[in-house]
Amino acid sequence: MALASATATAAAKTSCPSRLTRRFSSSPLTHPPSSLLPLAARPRARNSPRLVVRWKGTARALLGVFSDAGTSESDDDDEDALRGGQREDEDAVELSSVAPGPERWDVLGLGQAMVDFSGMVEDEFLERLSIEKGTRKVVNHEERGRVLRAMDGCSYKAAAGGSLSNSLVALARLGSSRSAGYPELKIAMAGSVGSDPLGSFYRAKLRRANVHFLSKPVKDGTTGTVIVLTTPDAQRTMLAYQGTSSTLSYDSDLANLVSKSNVLIVEGYLFELPHTIEAIRQACEDAHKNGSLIAVTASDVSCIKRCYNDFWDIVGKYADILFANANEARAFCELSSTDNPMSATRYLSHSIPLVSVTDGVNGSYIGVKGEAIYIPPSPCIPMDTCGAGDAYASGILYGILRGASDLKGIGLLASRVAAVVVGQQGTRLRVQDADRLAESFAYHLESLEFCSDV
């Protein structure tokens, strides 16, 4: 096992124990540090009228210019169905304007801003297009067009996607539940979208989900897209067109956002371009100086292998939390595919205060200080595994932000959130499910008497 880089960077943390390490190694009845939870209440956005951003037409039509049409209102918070015709909304740009932000953000995410096109296909569809099932592949403009042409006539959905945005939307919905009785969480995201119709669509959709997208569109830029093809066995195949989504600059606006955030979460898919990696490093450095918690998502095995040293340089120096699946955790440790993910969890937790490792139907693990806690999977009938890990991460963050110090309880919540998403078509946690989960978790906290006094 070649982990010299991990050992070297972990040494820098030893002299300054993480707040998470102190917190989860203490008694479950100990209140968490108040610095983790400056959660001022604010009016709930869900009380105000919501404008539907509904697109009708083929996916290729979404990539072009639309004719203007009317608007409509609905309580539908899920992804928008695409069938045939014209768009129905002309106010996406107006919706995407950023209102004055709060004094502090509970969570700021740095991630890829991608529009997802998701639909159900048969295995024969993948075979006909020579697409390897269950993989994630980066495609160029021509390849994307070829797949979208083949999907003409199908019914599928468009959503403001990307791995991190799935987590942030789930967290925002859990954090705005009225039934839980907590102050609303304030969630924001920074990334890169183009000045095209898809960019306006993305920003408007996130705002509707109560996630504030705070980055200005890139002039003449092209918004990234991901085609998510799910087969009847619930396996998903992803084709990503990057566009401007992997570019990120650490300017004064982003530095100001980082300084006002309690938790900074960085999506691993951003670890692609040297300029973006340097921006991530600067953001983590400033967040660390400001006392913010820093979380990193591993995102993809191929990303880890391509950017191994950069990952470890940032994760080892700055990360308080690492989110990974079993294969990604093994890649970080340079273990074989036959090694137990619990071993990887334990090893990583020597360098990172809190490690979350998911293993599909086998359950998950939470690692702290060289120990791993097994979290059994929540029962569900799988329909679509896309977004399961993103949902799990939202449950972990929600438990931490609400003041829980019972790792088992946090893990069980995360497992339940993931199971709900796996048992539906689409990657987003629905509002009604978020209400039910948040209420259940609030009752769990109160019954064990370790809920912090927010």
mmCIF file of all heavy atoms in Angstrom, residues 410-449:
data_model
loop_
_atom_site.group_PDB
_atom_site.id
_atom_site.type_symbol
_atom_site.label_atom_id
_atom_site.label_comp_id
_atom_site.label_asym_id
_atom_site.label_seq_id
_atom_site.Cartn_x
_atom_site.Cartn_y
_atom_site.Cartn_z
ATOM 1 N N ILE A 410 -26.680 9.109 12.833
ATOM 2 C CA ILE A 410 -26.444 9.898 11.620
ATOM 3 C C ILE A 410 -26.373 8.983 10.404
ATOM 4 O O ILE A 410 -26.951 9.258 9.352
ATOM 5 C CB ILE A 410 -25.152 10.718 11.753
ATOM 6 C CG1 ILE A 410 -25.309 11.795 12.834
ATOM 7 C CG2 ILE A 410 -24.781 11.374 10.430
ATOM 8 C CD1 ILE A 410 -24.036 12.559 13.125
ATOM 9 N N GLY A 411 -25.651 7.870 10.551
ATOM 10 C CA GLY A 411 -25.518 6.934 9.438
ATOM 11 C C GLY A 411 -26.834 6.303 9.041
ATOM 12 O O GLY A 411 -27.119 6.116 7.846
ATOM 13 N N LEU A 412 -27.678 5.985 10.013
ATOM 14 C CA LEU A 412 -28.973 5.387 9.707
ATOM 15 C C LEU A 412 -29.873 6.381 8.979
ATOM 16 O O LEU A 412 -30.618 6.011 8.061
ATOM 17 C CB LEU A 412 -29.640 4.898 10.988
ATOM 18 C CG LEU A 412 -29.004 3.663 11.639
ATOM 19 C CD1 LEU A 412 -29.634 3.390 12.999
ATOM 20 C CD2 LEU A 412 -29.135 2.446 10.730
ATOM 21 N N LEU A 413 -29.810 7.656 9.387
ATOM 22 C CA LEU A 413 -30.559 8.676 8.656
ATOM 23 C C LEU A 413 -30.075 8.750 7.213
ATOM 24 O O LEU A 413 -30.874 8.756 6.272
ATOM 25 C CB LEU A 413 -30.409 10.037 9.325
ATOM 26 C CG LEU A 413 -30.912 11.224 8.469
ATOM 27 C CD1 LEU A 413 -32.424 11.191 8.338
ATOM 28 C CD2 LEU A 413 -30.448 12.553 9.039
ATOM 29 N N ALA A 414 -28.761 8.810 7.022
ATOM 30 C CA ALA A 414 -28.193 8.905 5.675
ATOM 31 C C ALA A 414 -28.608 7.701 4.832
ATOM 32 O O ALA A 414 -28.931 7.839 3.644
ATOM 33 C CB ALA A 414 -26.671 9.004 5.759
ATOM 34 N N SER A 415 -28.617 6.519 5.454
ATOM 35 C CA SER A 415 -29.014 5.317 4.738
ATOM 36 C C SER A 415 -30.478 5.385 4.319
ATOM 37 O O SER A 415 -30.852 4.975 3.208
ATOM 38 C CB SER A 415 -28.783 4.087 5.630
ATOM 39 O OG SER A 415 -29.192 2.906 4.987
ATOM 40 N N ARG A 416 -31.323 5.938 5.182
ATOM 41 C CA ARG A 416 -32.743 6.067 4.850
ATOM 42 C C ARG A 416 -32.956 7.075 3.721
ATOM 43 O O ARG A 416 -33.787 6.860 2.829
ATOM 44 C CB ARG A 416 -33.534 6.490 6.083
ATOM 45 C CG ARG A 416 -33.644 5.408 7.152
ATOM 46 C CD ARG A 416 -34.449 5.904 8.336
ATOM 47 N NE ARG A 416 -35.797 6.264 7.950
ATOM 48 C CZ ARG A 416 -36.611 6.997 8.701
ATOM 49 N NH1 ARG A 416 -36.190 7.467 9.865
ATOM 50 N NH2 ARG A 416 -37.832 7.271 8.284
ATOM 51 N N VAL A 417 -32.217 8.182 3.756
ATOM 52 C CA VAL A 417 -32.339 9.171 2.682
ATOM 53 C C VAL A 417 -31.946 8.538 1.351
ATOM 54 O O VAL A 417 -32.630 8.704 0.329
ATOM 55 C CB VAL A 417 -31.469 10.416 2.972
ATOM 56 C CG1 VAL A 417 -31.536 11.391 1.799
ATOM 57 C CG2 VAL A 417 -31.922 11.108 4.249
ATOM 58 N N ALA A 418 -30.833 7.793 1.344
ATOM 59 C CA ALA A 418 -30.384 7.135 0.121
ATOM 60 C C ALA A 418 -31.410 6.126 -0.373
ATOM 61 O O ALA A 418 -31.671 6.029 -1.580
ATOM 62 C CB ALA A 418 -29.040 6.456 0.365
ATOM 63 N N ALA A 419 -32.010 5.366 0.549
ATOM 64 C CA ALA A 419 -32.987 4.349 0.158
ATOM 65 C C ALA A 419 -34.212 4.979 -0.500
ATOM 66 O O ALA A 419 -34.770 4.433 -1.459
ATOM 67 C CB ALA A 419 -33.400 3.528 1.371
ATOM 68 N N VAL A 420 -34.642 6.122 0.015
ATOM 69 C CA VAL A 420 -35.790 6.817 -0.575
ATOM 70 C C VAL A 420 -35.490 7.210 -2.010
ATOM 71 O O VAL A 420 -36.317 7.038 -2.915
ATOM 72 C CB VAL A 420 -36.162 8.059 0.263
ATOM 73 C CG1 VAL A 420 -37.157 8.943 -0.491
ATOM 74 C CG2 VAL A 420 -36.760 7.637 1.593
ATOM 75 N N VAL A 421 -34.288 7.738 -2.264
ATOM 76 C CA VAL A 421 -33.917 8.165 -3.616
ATOM 77 C C VAL A 421 -33.758 6.959 -4.539
ATOM 78 O O VAL A 421 -34.162 7.005 -5.708
ATOM 79 C CB VAL A 421 -32.628 9.011 -3.564
ATOM 80 C CG1 VAL A 421 -32.097 9.283 -4.966
ATOM 81 C CG2 VAL A 421 -32.896 10.329 -2.841
ATOM 82 N N VAL A 422 -33.177 5.872 -4.047
ATOM 83 C CA VAL A 422 -33.009 4.672 -4.866
ATOM 84 C C VAL A 422 -34.368 4.075 -5.235
ATOM 85 O O VAL A 422 -34.535 3.495 -6.312
ATOM 86 C CB VAL A 422 -32.156 3.628 -4.110
ATOM 87 C CG1 VAL A 422 -32.196 2.273 -4.809
ATOM 88 C CG2 VAL A 422 -30.713 4.107 -4.013
ATOM 89 N N GLY A 423 -35.358 4.229 -4.377
ATOM 90 C CA GLY A 423 -36.670 3.653 -4.614
ATOM 91 C C GLY A 423 -37.578 4.479 -5.501
ATOM 92 O O GLY A 423 -38.771 4.190 -5.607
ATOM 93 N N GLN A 424 -37.035 5.519 -6.158
ATOM 94 C CA GLN A 424 -37.833 6.370 -7.034
ATOM 95 C C GLN A 424 -37.094 6.576 -8.345
ATOM 96 O O GLN A 424 -35.907 6.268 -8.468
ATOM 97 C CB GLN A 424 -38.075 7.740 -6.374
ATOM 98 C CG GLN A 424 -36.790 8.537 -6.227
ATOM 99 C CD GLN A 424 -36.953 9.877 -5.547
ATOM 100 O OE1 GLN A 424 -37.797 10.047 -4.692
ATOM 101 N NE2 GLN A 424 -36.130 10.843 -5.930
ATOM 102 N N GLN A 425 -37.777 7.104 -9.326
ATOM 103 C CA GLN A 425 -37.134 7.499 -10.574
ATOM 104 C C GLN A 425 -36.679 8.943 -10.436
ATOM 105 O O GLN A 425 -37.485 9.828 -10.143
ATOM 106 C CB GLN A 425 -38.114 7.357 -11.737
ATOM 107 C CG GLN A 425 -37.540 7.789 -13.079
ATOM 108 C CD GLN A 425 -36.397 6.916 -13.543
ATOM 109 O OE1 GLN A 425 -36.399 5.713 -13.292
ATOM 110 N NE2 GLN A 425 -35.409 7.490 -14.208
ATOM 111 N N GLY A 426 -35.377 9.200 -10.587
ATOM 112 C CA GLY A 426 -34.850 10.552 -10.437
ATOM 113 C C GLY A 426 -33.901 10.661 -9.263
ATOM 114 O O GLY A 426 -33.938 9.850 -8.333
ATOM 115 N N THR A 427 -33.043 11.661 -9.310
ATOM 116 C CA THR A 427 -31.949 11.780 -8.345
ATOM 117 C C THR A 427 -32.272 12.679 -7.156
ATOM 118 O O THR A 427 -31.471 12.758 -6.234
ATOM 119 C CB THR A 427 -30.707 12.351 -9.046
ATOM 120 O OG1 THR A 427 -31.019 13.658 -9.575
ATOM 121 C CG2 THR A 427 -30.255 11.459 -10.182
ATOM 122 N N ARG A 428 -33.424 13.358 -7.159
ATOM 123 C CA ARG A 428 -33.700 14.369 -6.156
ATOM 124 C C ARG A 428 -34.604 13.847 -5.051
ATOM 125 O O ARG A 428 -35.603 13.177 -5.318
ATOM 126 C CB ARG A 428 -34.348 15.594 -6.802
ATOM 127 C CG ARG A 428 -33.387 16.351 -7.727
ATOM 128 C CD ARG A 428 -32.362 17.100 -6.909
ATOM 129 N NE ARG A 428 -31.250 17.561 -7.695
ATOM 130 C CZ ARG A 428 -31.265 18.657 -8.439
ATOM 131 N NH1 ARG A 428 -32.356 19.366 -8.517
ATOM 132 N NH2 ARG A 428 -30.190 19.028 -9.087
ATOM 133 N N LEU A 429 -34.266 14.170 -3.815
ATOM 134 C CA LEU A 429 -35.132 13.872 -2.682
ATOM 135 C C LEU A 429 -36.354 14.773 -2.759
ATOM 136 O O LEU A 429 -36.239 15.990 -2.823
ATOM 137 C CB LEU A 429 -34.381 14.113 -1.374
ATOM 138 C CG LEU A 429 -35.146 13.852 -0.075
ATOM 139 C CD1 LEU A 429 -35.451 12.364 0.074
ATOM 140 C CD2 LEU A 429 -34.360 14.372 1.116
ATOM 141 N N ARG A 430 -37.532 14.171 -2.735
ATOM 142 C CA ARG A 430 -38.760 14.949 -2.853
ATOM 143 C C ARG A 430 -39.076 15.668 -1.544
ATOM 144 O O ARG A 430 -38.685 15.221 -0.468
ATOM 145 C CB ARG A 430 -39.927 14.048 -3.251
ATOM 146 C CG ARG A 430 -39.748 13.402 -4.624
ATOM 147 C CD ARG A 430 -41.015 12.692 -5.047
ATOM 148 N NE ARG A 430 -40.875 12.113 -6.373
ATOM 149 C CZ ARG A 430 -40.689 10.816 -6.606
ATOM 150 N NH1 ARG A 430 -40.621 9.962 -5.588
ATOM 151 N NH2 ARG A 430 -40.574 10.359 -7.833
ATOM 152 N N VAL A 431 -39.813 16.767 -1.655
ATOM 153 C CA VAL A 431 -40.120 17.605 -0.497
ATOM 154 C C VAL A 431 -40.868 16.819 0.571
ATOM 155 O O VAL A 431 -40.535 16.885 1.762
ATOM 156 C CB VAL A 431 -40.934 18.841 -0.932
ATOM 157 C CG1 VAL A 431 -41.428 19.611 0.285
ATOM 158 C CG2 VAL A 431 -40.097 19.755 -1.826
ATOM 159 N N GLN A 432 -41.878 16.052 0.161
ATOM 160 C CA GLN A 432 -42.672 15.317 1.149
ATOM 161 C C GLN A 432 -41.840 14.249 1.855
ATOM 162 O O GLN A 432 -42.016 13.992 3.061
ATOM 163 C CB GLN A 432 -43.914 14.700 0.502
ATOM 164 C CG GLN A 432 -43.645 13.690 -0.598
ATOM 165 C CD GLN A 432 -43.604 14.334 -1.974
ATOM 166 O OE1 GLN A 432 -43.213 15.492 -2.107
ATOM 167 N NE2 GLN A 432 -44.010 13.588 -2.993
ATOM 168 N N ASP A 433 -40.926 13.623 1.127
ATOM 169 C CA ASP A 433 -40.046 12.628 1.756
ATOM 170 C C ASP A 433 -39.066 13.304 2.705
ATOM 171 O O ASP A 433 -38.752 12.770 3.777
ATOM 172 C CB ASP A 433 -39.289 11.840 0.685
ATOM 173 C CG ASP A 433 -40.194 10.951 -0.144
ATOM 174 O OD1 ASP A 433 -41.174 10.414 0.425
ATOM 175 O OD2 ASP A 433 -39.947 10.806 -1.350
ATOM 176 N N ALA A 434 -38.563 14.479 2.321
ATOM 177 C CA ALA A 434 -37.644 15.219 3.192
ATOM 178 C C ALA A 434 -38.333 15.613 4.490
ATOM 179 O O ALA A 434 -37.741 15.518 5.574
ATOM 180 C CB ALA A 434 -37.117 16.458 2.465
ATOM 181 N N ASP A 435 -39.589 16.038 4.412
ATOM 182 C CA ASP A 435 -40.339 16.391 5.620
ATOM 183 C C ASP A 435 -40.449 15.198 6.564
ATOM 184 O O ASP A 435 -40.247 15.320 7.777
ATOM 185 C CB ASP A 435 -41.740 16.881 5.245
ATOM 186 C CG ASP A 435 -41.744 18.293 4.678
ATOM 187 O OD1 ASP A 435 -40.752 19.013 4.896
ATOM 188 O OD2 ASP A 435 -42.724 18.661 4.014
ATOM 189 N N ARG A 436 -40.783 14.060 5.997
ATOM 190 C CA ARG A 436 -40.960 12.857 6.818
ATOM 191 C C ARG A 436 -39.646 12.440 7.467
ATOM 192 O O ARG A 436 -39.606 12.104 8.661
ATOM 193 C CB ARG A 436 -41.503 11.729 5.928
ATOM 194 C CG ARG A 436 -41.651 10.391 6.614
ATOM 195 C CD ARG A 436 -42.372 9.409 5.699
ATOM 196 N NE ARG A 436 -41.772 9.331 4.386
ATOM 197 C CZ ARG A 436 -40.715 8.571 4.098
ATOM 198 N NH1 ARG A 436 -40.139 7.858 5.060
ATOM 199 N NH2 ARG A 436 -40.225 8.527 2.881
ATOM 200 N N LEU A 437 -38.554 12.471 6.714
ATOM 201 C CA LEU A 437 -37.255 12.067 7.245
ATOM 202 C C LEU A 437 -36.766 13.044 8.314
ATOM 203 O O LEU A 437 -36.230 12.630 9.345
ATOM 204 C CB LEU A 437 -36.238 11.978 6.106
ATOM 205 C CG LEU A 437 -36.427 10.815 5.126
ATOM 206 C CD1 LEU A 437 -35.626 11.056 3.856
ATOM 207 C CD2 LEU A 437 -36.012 9.498 5.770
ATOM 208 N N ALA A 438 -36.934 14.346 8.066
ATOM 209 C CA ALA A 438 -36.478 15.347 9.035
ATOM 210 C C ALA A 438 -37.257 15.241 10.335
ATOM 211 O O ALA A 438 -36.697 15.372 11.428
ATOM 212 C CB ALA A 438 -36.615 16.754 8.440
ATOM 213 N N GLU A 439 -38.555 15.010 10.238
ATOM 214 C CA GLU A 439 -39.371 14.877 11.437
ATOM 215 C C GLU A 439 -38.953 13.649 12.244
ATOM 216 O O GLU A 439 -38.834 13.704 13.472
ATOM 217 C CB GLU A 439 -40.850 14.762 11.059
ATOM 218 C CG GLU A 439 -41.776 14.685 12.252
ATOM 219 C CD GLU A 439 -43.232 14.637 11.852
ATOM 220 O OE1 GLU A 439 -43.514 14.379 10.656
ATOM 221 O OE2 GLU A 439 -44.092 14.857 12.715
ATOM 222 N N SER A 440 -38.703 12.551 11.547
ATOM 223 C CA SER A 440 -38.277 11.325 12.222
ATOM 224 C C SER A 440 -36.937 11.521 12.916
ATOM 225 O O SER A 440 -36.732 11.076 14.053
ATOM 226 C CB SER A 440 -38.187 10.181 11.209
ATOM 227 O OG SER A 440 -37.628 9.021 11.791
ATOM 228 N N PHE A 441 -36.007 12.219 12.247
ATOM 229 C CA PHE A 441 -34.687 12.427 12.821
ATOM 230 C C PHE A 441 -34.760 13.372 14.014
ATOM 231 O O PHE A 441 -34.059 13.184 15.008
ATOM 232 C CB PHE A 441 -33.739 12.977 11.760
ATOM 233 C CG PHE A 441 -32.300 13.000 12.197
ATOM 234 C CD1 PHE A 441 -31.628 11.817 12.467
ATOM 235 C CD2 PHE A 441 -31.620 14.195 12.344
ATOM 236 C CE1 PHE A 441 -30.303 11.828 12.869
ATOM 237 C CE2 PHE A 441 -30.296 14.213 12.746
ATOM 238 C CZ PHE A 441 -29.639 13.022 13.010
ATOM 239 N N ALA A 442 -35.613 14.387 13.943
ATOM 240 C CA ALA A 442 -35.790 15.307 15.075
ATOM 241 C C ALA A 442 -36.297 14.546 16.296
ATOM 242 O O ALA A 442 -35.850 14.776 17.426
ATOM 243 C CB ALA A 442 -36.756 16.426 14.701
ATOM 244 N N TYR A 443 -37.231 13.639 16.077
ATOM 245 C CA TYR A 443 -37.749 12.839 17.191
ATOM 246 C C TYR A 443 -36.641 11.971 17.774
ATOM 247 O O TYR A 443 -36.525 11.817 18.995
ATOM 248 C CB TYR A 443 -38.900 11.959 16.706
ATOM 249 C CG TYR A 443 -39.435 11.021 17.757
ATOM 250 C CD1 TYR A 443 -40.307 11.482 18.753
ATOM 251 C CD2 TYR A 443 -39.056 9.685 17.783
ATOM 252 C CE1 TYR A 443 -40.788 10.626 19.730
ATOM 253 C CE2 TYR A 443 -39.532 8.823 18.754
ATOM 254 C CZ TYR A 443 -40.391 9.301 19.724
ATOM 255 O OH TYR A 443 -40.853 8.454 20.693
ATOM 256 N N HIS A 444 -35.793 11.427 16.916
ATOM 257 C CA HIS A 444 -34.666 10.601 17.369
ATOM 258 C C HIS A 444 -33.711 11.418 18.241
ATOM 259 O O HIS A 444 -33.286 10.971 19.308
ATOM 260 C CB HIS A 444 -33.926 10.037 16.158
ATOM 261 C CG HIS A 444 -32.671 9.290 16.492
ATOM 262 N ND1 HIS A 444 -32.681 8.051 17.093
ATOM 263 C CD2 HIS A 444 -31.365 9.611 16.322
ATOM 264 C CE1 HIS A 444 -31.442 7.634 17.274
ATOM 265 N NE2 HIS A 444 -30.626 8.567 16.809
ATOM 266 N N LEU A 445 -33.406 12.629 17.804
ATOM 267 C CA LEU A 445 -32.508 13.484 18.572
ATOM 268 C C LEU A 445 -33.098 13.823 19.939
ATOM 269 O O LEU A 445 -32.427 13.753 20.966
ATOM 270 C CB LEU A 445 -32.218 14.778 17.805
ATOM 271 C CG LEU A 445 -31.313 14.675 16.577
ATOM 272 C CD1 LEU A 445 -31.205 16.043 15.916
ATOM 273 C CD2 LEU A 445 -29.936 14.185 16.949
ATOM 274 N N GLU A 446 -34.364 14.201 19.947
ATOM 275 C CA GLU A 446 -35.005 14.604 21.196
ATOM 276 C C GLU A 446 -35.117 13.430 22.172
ATOM 277 O O GLU A 446 -34.931 13.586 23.382
ATOM 278 C CB GLU A 446 -36.388 15.176 20.903
ATOM 279 C CG GLU A 446 -36.330 16.518 20.183
ATOM 280 C CD GLU A 446 -37.690 16.910 19.613
ATOM 281 O OE1 GLU A 446 -38.646 16.145 19.830
ATOM 282 O OE2 GLU A 446 -37.777 17.955 18.958
ATOM 283 N N SER A 447 -35.389 12.255 21.654
ATOM 284 C CA SER A 447 -35.574 11.095 22.529
ATOM 285 C C SER A 447 -34.266 10.692 23.189
ATOM 286 O O SER A 447 -34.262 10.167 24.305
ATOM 287 C CB SER A 447 -36.130 9.911 21.731
ATOM 288 O OG SER A 447 -35.196 9.474 20.753
ATOM 289 N N LEU A 448 -33.134 10.962 22.523
ATOM 290 C CA LEU A 448 -31.841 10.624 23.107
ATOM 291 C C LEU A 448 -31.200 11.795 23.840
ATOM 292 O O LEU A 448 -30.116 11.675 24.375
ATOM 293 C CB LEU A 448 -30.890 10.103 22.021
ATOM 294 C CG LEU A 448 -31.290 8.756 21.388
ATOM 295 C CD1 LEU A 448 -30.270 8.341 20.357
ATOM 296 C CD2 LEU A 448 -31.416 7.682 22.452
ATOM 297 N N GLU A 449 -31.860 12.959 23.787
ATOM 298 C CA GLU A 449 -31.437 14.132 24.532
ATOM 299 C C GLU A 449 -30.021 14.603 24.198
ATOM 300 O O GLU A 449 -29.270 15.041 25.040
ATOM 301 C CB GLU A 449 -31.546 13.864 26.035
ATOM 302 C CG GLU A 449 -32.963 13.582 26.513
ATOM 303 C CD GLU A 449 -33.036 13.349 28.001
ATOM 304 O OE1 GLU A 449 -31.964 13.271 28.642
ATOM 305 O OE2 GLU A 449 -34.138 13.234 28.524
#
